[in-house]
Amino acid sequence: MLEGVSERVRAVPPIAVRGAFGAVIALVALELGLAIAIRLGALDGALALVLGGLVPLALAALQVVGAITVVTGAFDARETVTLGAWYLGGLVVALAVALAAVVRLGVGPVAGLGHPIVLGNMTGGALGGLFVGLYAVRSQRRAADLATERARLASEHEQLVLLNRIVRHDVANHLQVIAGVADHLDGRVDPEAESAVARLQRTTDDAIELTDRMRKFVDVFAGDADRDRRAIDLGRVLSTQVENSRDVFPHAEIRLGPYPDVDVWADELLSTIYHNLITNAIKHNDGDPTVEISGSVTDDRVRVRIADDGPGVEPGRMEGLLDREFAPEESGEGVGLYLVATLVAHYDGDVWVERNDPRGSVFVVELPVADAINRGDEASVAERSPTNGT
């Protein structure tokens, strides 16, 4: 029934509905207050005067404040109907309870309407109903906001899935064609054009790498990365990434020190974390890069340190560099580190950056250990010491 009433008044200007309801509250409060004031002289004793007179008068005055709040508040017609229903419901219930009480005291129902118990109950019940109505309106708003947010997230999810498909298929395929043409031109052009072909190859490779990062980035936010979570051998991931990096960057010295033989609870995107950190350490080095990778286990967490001897991170960027609120630049710079921070958080881990001594930076990635047998017992973890390469 309440829904039907609210639908009928929806076309009425909200200020008119609020004004009418506010006037009803004010009139009821004034009538109750006047009736209470008239009977103040008939109350015997200080306690009766306080409970049967002063307190109900204060509650009636608060109802007038409530009427002003309703009129000046940003309530629409439907919300005002909800407030009115709760207010009148509280008033009626309080009146019924009070009349039942005075009838048991031997006072007739008609005469009991002016009894202090009835008047006090009515002021309290009406004010309580108004408070409950305000809470109900607030709950309705929260529910509406939640529904709107869910709809927005569902729309964004669909957009991310679509973007992922476009990046994965269309853009990636076009870039592969460009890369193939560039490779075909390599060695078949005039010496003057060789530098242009080399630049085309580098740019295409960077674009393919950026596209792959963005695809994985969308995988995480679209929820696709949740499906294949499992125990993954961290050592195998590290050694594979080191071998791949040595092939891609033969001029860099990449040392893989002792690392723990443990599994972490992740998915196929785990390698993206270490790939991005190793690649950044090499690409942003202003000399002959040296990257040292090591790991250790503390309690139920495994910690991997990736140290470089590059120029290091600027002091002003040290704190916010891996903040998940950090916005990558339009050029694509920062996407890799942003993806690292996102993935580590996705795996319930932590990542931070420290200064290296005497030069460079140390990126530390800490993840939970998947194998419960290895948790909290670093001494029981077998360590491998692979041969370092250049």
Side-chain angles (χ1 to χ4, degrees):
M1 184 177 67
L2 181 60
E3 287 294 331
V5 174
S6 64
E7 287 298 330
R8 284 193 293 272
V9 302
R10 190 181 295 274
V12 181
I15 183 61
V17 181
R18 295 199 304 269
F21 177 48
V24 170
I25 298 177
L27 287 174
V28 172
L30 290 174
E31 287 290 338
L32 290 173
L34 181 60
I36 294 169
I38 292 173
R39 289 162 176 77
L40 283 177
L43 299 174
D44 295 329
L47 182 61
L49 179 64
V50 172
L51 297 180
L54 298 181
V55 172
L57 277 176
L59 295 178
L62 286 176
Q63 288 185 54
V64 176
V65 175
I68 298 174
T69 302
V70 169
V71 174
T72 59
F75 302 106
D76 59 24
R78 182 175 182 273
E79 292 172 341
T80 306
V81 169
T82 301
L83 288 172
W86 280 106
Y87 174 80
L88 295 176
L91 183 67
V92 171
V93 170
L95 173 61
V97 172
L99 282 177
V102 298
V103 167
R104 290 181 64 86
L105 295 176
V107 180
V110 177
L113 289 175
H115 196 281
I117 294 179
V118 175
L119 295 175
N121 245 39
M122 290 176 67
T123 55
L127 187 62
L130 184 59
F131 281 136
V132 174
L134 290 171
Y135 178 80
V137 168
R138 182 178 298 179
S139 298
Q140 290 174 356
R141 289 181 176 180
R142 282 200 299 263
D145 292 341
L146 182 59
T148 301
E149 181 67 12
R150 286 176 175 172
R152 184 186 67 80
L153 290 175
S155 176
E156 290 185 356
H157 181 272
E158 292 178 0
Q159 294 173 6
L160 283 171
V161 171
L162 177 60
L163 176 61
N164 197 18
R165 292 173 180 171
I166 293 174
V167 171
R168 180 174 290 162
H169 298 291
D170 299 348
V171 177
N173 289 341
H174 291 324
L175 288 174
Q176 291 295 341
V177 172
I178 296 173
V181 173
D183 292 340
H184 178 74
L185 293 176
D186 189 18
R188 291 182 170 85
V189 298
D190 296 334
E192 294 80 3
E194 288 181 355
S195 60
V197 172
R199 182 180 179 184
L200 176 62
Q201 289 176 316
R202 291 195 302 271
T203 303
T204 305
D205 290 341
D206 290 342
I208 292 175
E209 182 179 356
L210 178 60
T211 302
D212 186 59
R213 288 180 182 179
M214 293 304 299
R215 177 186 63 79
K216 294 175 180 178
F217 189 69
V218 173
D219 278 343
V220 174
F221 281 101
D224 293 341
D226 285 332
R227 295 179 299 181
D228 299 325
R229 294 283 289 274
R230 60 191 184 279
I232 294 182
D233 187 343
L234 176 62
R236 180 177 300 175
V237 171
L238 290 176
S239 59
T240 299
Q241 290 306 310
V242 168
E243 292 174 3
N244 293 342
S245 299
R246 286 170 179 167
D247 292 336
V248 176
F249 306 104
H251 65 290
E253 182 177 0
I254 307 174
R255 304 170 183 169
L256 181 57
Y259 56 86
D261 182 18
V262 295
D263 293 340
V264 295
W265 194 254
D267 52 33
E268 63 178 7
L269 298 181
L270 176 66
S271 59
T272 303
I273 296 174
Y274 306 106
H275 166 77
N276 278 286
L277 294 179
I278 296 172
T279 300
N280 280 348
I282 296 173
K283 284 188 173 181
H284 297 289
N285 197 303
D286 54 358
D288 295 327
T290 298
V291 181
E292 296 186 358
I293 305 167
S294 60
S296 61
V297 173
T298 303
D299 296 330
D300 59 350
R301 314 276 285 185
V302 57
R303 184 175 296 179
V304 175
R305 300 172 60 86
I306 300 176
D308 64 66
D309 60 351
V313 179
E314 298 176 10
R317 299 187 67 194
M318 183 72 76
E319 293 298 327
L321 186 60
L322 284 166
D323 191 336
R324 293 190 71 199
E325 299 299 323
F326 171 76
E329 299 175 7
E330 293 183 1
S331 62
E333 287 294 324
V335 172
L337 292 179
Y338 189 79
L339 180 56
V340 167
T342 302
L343 285 172
V344 170
H346 182 67
Y347 300 144
D348 300 322
D350 196 10
V351 56
W352 64 91
V353 58
E354 303 172 351
R355 298 184 185 277
N356 197 12
D357 186 23
R359 188 173 188 267
S361 303
V362 181
F363 285 83
V364 186
V365 178
E366 187 176 81
L367 297 174
V369 175
D371 189 354
I373 299 177
N374 292 333
R375 290 180 180 178
D377 188 8
E378 185 175 4
S380 68
V381 177
E383 292 194 347
R384 308 180 188 133
S385 299
T387 303
N388 294 323
T390 58

